Structure formats: structure tokens, C-alpha cells
Amino acid sequence: GQQVMQIPQYQHVQEGEDFTTYCNSSTTLSNIQWYKQRPGGHPVFLIQLVKSGEVKKQKRLTFQFGEAKKNSSLHITATQTTDVGTYFCAGMDSSYKLIFGSGTRLLVRP
Amino acid sequence: DGGITQSPKYLFRKEGQNVTLSCEQNLNHDAMYWYRQDPGQGLRLIYYSQIVNDFQKGDIAEGYSVSREKKESFPLTVTSAQKNPTAFYLCASRDRGADTQYFGPGTRLTVL
């Protein structure tokens, strides 16, 4: 079946350093979504990418969708302690089901 | 105040007992989903429903059952057949024609 792989599993950074998480799908995706889950909380939708090669920015966060629509990345510039949490990518299949990656847990040292 | 509610937040049950988790939404969304999350893991789809009175199995449906008698409600029953039921259970909903799923606060189930 369709799989979405996400790396790294963990990333521990000093506040102010950059952070990137990568997502790869075994098949072409109709779109990809990114969610953030704070410790003890539930996933919260961040953004959706639909077009091949699409790049979107939200303040310090930059999201990219690969040309082949099989991979994506999330880059955070100058991390802050408020960025702590687990970031999930999720690819949507033809049945509107989301296939979630395993997530990247970000820890930020103040 | 619109949103998705799940109750209770924490639930403890003895091994061998069935337990039903509640999920209610007042967003008028057609589709609803149940996911399971284990520590340090991603979300795995248990069941989903695109419309009232219809639902489909997800990737890990064994040991679970659902019903969708009303648009706003999608309860999940964790049966005694589920071998490892202790987990964080998340419910989500999606509007027709939209892609974004909105999650409830989750229920942490512990089976003793």
C-alpha cells in the first residue's frame, strides 16, 4: 500500500538554529498537508500544497512540494521554543484518506 | 462555538471490557475519521465515514467498530478483541469538497 516516510525522527536544535524535515511518498500524491502536534495535544493543520514544485511560506516556515509530487519538506528558520512539537506530513490518496508520515519531533534548547 | 469534541479526555478500563469513545462535531462536516496514535508514532487510520449510515475500514480496523447514525456523531467502540488497545485516539472531520481534516482533542485510553 501507499506509504509516506518522514525523516529525521528527532531533531534537537539550539534556539536560533534552522530545522528541516523531509517527507517521501512511495506514489504520486494529489496533495500534501502538514500538521503540527504540540506535546500532549492534537494535530493542527498548518498548510496544504497542491501544485508540482509549489513553495509556500508562513513567517519563518517554508514548505515545498517536489516536482514529481512525491516528496515535500518543511524548513523553519531561526527556531524558537514555541516551535517545539512533532511535525507530520500527510499525503492524500484518491479516496480523500490521509496517509500520515511518522513525524519529526523537534526539541529546541533555549 | 464550533468544533470537534471528544470525551472523555482520559479513560481507564479493565482488560476484556468493551469501551466506546465519543466524537461529536458541529461543523456540519460530512466526513469523519478515527485514528490511533501510539507513543512516538504517526497516526494510523482505524475507520472513516464519508456520509451518514456509511463507513469503511481503515488500515487497522480489527478489534474496533463504529456507527454513523447521525451526521454529527461518530462513536468508536474498542472491543475486547483489540489486542493492544492502550493508545491515544483522535477523531477528525472534513467538509465535503475540502481536503483539510480538523482534529478533536483526543482520548487517551489505558487498559489495565
Side-chain angles (χ1 to χ4, degrees):
Chain A
Q2 186 174 2
Q3 290 188 334
V4 175
M5 309 299 291
Q6 194 172 351
I7 57 170
Q9 188 174 8
Y10 299 96
Q11 188 80 51
H12 202 174
V13 300
Q14 184 72 41
E15 188 173 20
E17 291 182 339
D18 292 355
F19 160 78
T20 305
T21 174
Y22 301 91
C23 190
N24 288 285
S25 170
S26 56
T27 59
T28 301
L29 301 168
S30 58
N31 66 60
I32 195 154
Q33 300 178 23
W34 286 90
Y35 291 78
K36 177 183 179 180
Q37 185 176 23
R38 293 183 184 275
H42 59 277
V44 174
F45 174 78
L46 293 176
I47 206 161
Q48 175 178 281
L49 304 171
V50 180
K51 299 177 182 177
S52 170
E54 189 171 13
V55 178
K56 287 188 176 181
K57 292 189 175 184
Q58 288 181 348
K59 296 184 179 179
R60 294 178 295 104
L61 277 62
T62 301
F63 303 84
Q64 294 187 331
F65 201 9
E67 293 290 340
K69 299 183 74 172
K70 294 178 72 173
N71 62 306
S72 182
S73 65
L74 158 59
H75 180 82
I76 302 178
T77 302
T79 55
Q80 300 175 359
T81 55
T82 54
D83 295 325
V84 164
T86 301
Y87 294 84
F88 293 98
C89 62
M92 179 164 284
D93 70 10
S94 56
S95 302
Y96 281 96
K97 289 188 299 178
L98 283 177
I99 313 298
F100 280 83
S102 54
T104 296
R105 184 179 175 188
L106 173 62
L107 303 171
V108 180
R109 290 190 297 270
Chain B
D1 187 23
I4 304 174
T5 57
Q6 290 184 245
S7 61
K9 188 173 182 179
Y10 298 95
L11 188 57
F12 298 87
R13 279 294 182 270
K14 291 183 179 179
E15 193 173 346
Q17 290 182 333
N18 291 356
V19 60
T20 298
L21 310 184
S22 167
C23 179
E24 303 279 332
Q25 55 98 0
N26 61 4
L27 301 169
N28 200 35
H29 286 175
D30 288 300
M32 297 185 74
Y33 304 80
W34 273 106
Y35 294 91
R36 169 182 173 139
Q37 186 176 33
D38 293 284
Q41 303 291 317
L43 281 67
R44 293 184 290 169
L45 183 64
I46 305 173
Y47 267 99
Y48 65 105
S49 168
Q50 306 272 32
I51 197 168
V52 176
N53 293 320
D54 187 48
F55 50 83
Q56 286 79 40
K57 293 182 179 180
D59 300 318
I60 55 166
E62 186 176 351
Y64 299 98
S65 65
V66 293
S67 63
R68 187 82 188 278
E69 298 176 0
K70 297 186 295 183
K71 188 176 186 178
E72 59 270 23
S73 179
F74 191 39
L76 172 74
T77 297
V78 184
T79 75
S80 57
Q82 168 52 232
K83 295 180 181 179
N84 297 297
T86 294
F88 187 38
Y89 290 88
L90 288 156
C91 178
S93 70
R94 177 183 61 81
D95 196 9
R96 186 191 307 177
D99 296 335
T100 306
Q101 292 188 16
Y102 295 89
F103 285 83
T107 293
R108 294 190 183 277
L109 173 64
T110 301
V111 175
L112 306 171

